[in-house]
Amino acid sequence: QVQLVESGGGLVQPGGSLRLSCAASGSGFSIHAMAWYRQAPGKERELVAIITSSGGITTYVNSVKGRFTISRDNAKSTTYLQMNSLKPEDTGTYYCKADAMAVAGVRHYDYWGQGTQVTVSS
């Protein structure tokens, strides 16, 4: 099992910044990739960013390129999402997701955090 806990959400003004954290814990699994998703009110959940286990490959949805940065600190089992130049349309609940594999197995599993609220408003 993998447990994910997000933190760092809050209320910021347009143009402001937030740094989200996702702390992972558990045993018997290897996390191959982490992702951040968000869901705005009345909209479908969308993928925001992905980072591989090594941190060498990252991808972003076009709407956040140049403003958001995903990173990992494997020693602390934590994934971050640095969000700069925030816009009202960035408002939503942000979730982290782990793509994990059992150390002694072959199947991949998805694990989700509980979400953290981000509100961008003046």
Side-chain angles (χ1 to χ4, degrees), residues 33-40 43-51 58-65 68 70 81 90 93-99 110 112:
M34 296 291 299
W36 284 97
Y37 287 74
R38 68 184 180 188
Q39 187 166 20
K43 301 185 69 175
E44 298 295 320
R45 187 174 300 184
E46 68 170 345
L47 176 65
V48 177
I50 301 174
I51 187 168
T58 58
T59 59
Y60 301 89
V61 66
N62 286 337
S63 61
V64 308
K65 287 182 178 178
F68 290 12
I70 187 171
L81 184 67
D90 294 319
T93 303
Y94 283 69
Y95 303 87
C96 66
K97 187 195 78 174
D99 173 15
D110 289 338
W112 292 86

Side-chain angles (χ1 to χ4, degrees), residues 10-91:
L11 173 65
V12 297
Q13 295 185 341
S17 298
L18 283 174
R19 189 191 193 194
L20 306 183
S21 298
C22 177
S25 62
S27 62
F29 287 85
S30 175
I31 298 176
H32 295 335
M34 296 291 299
W36 284 97
Y37 287 74
R38 68 184 180 188
Q39 187 166 20
K43 301 185 69 175
E44 298 295 320
R45 187 174 300 184
E46 68 170 345
L47 176 65
V48 177
I50 301 174
I51 187 168
T52 58
S53 61
S54 68
I57 301 175
T58 58
T59 59
Y60 301 89
V61 66
N62 286 337
S63 61
V64 308
K65 287 182 178 178
R67 300 189 297 120
F68 290 12
T69 302
I70 187 171
S71 61
R72 299 181 68 173
D73 184 344
N74 288 336
K76 299 178 65 174
S77 299
T78 301
T79 303
Y80 304 95
L81 184 67
Q82 178 67 47
M83 305 185 294
N84 299 324
S85 301
L86 284 162
K87 305 174 181 179
E89 51 262 45
D90 294 319
T91 293

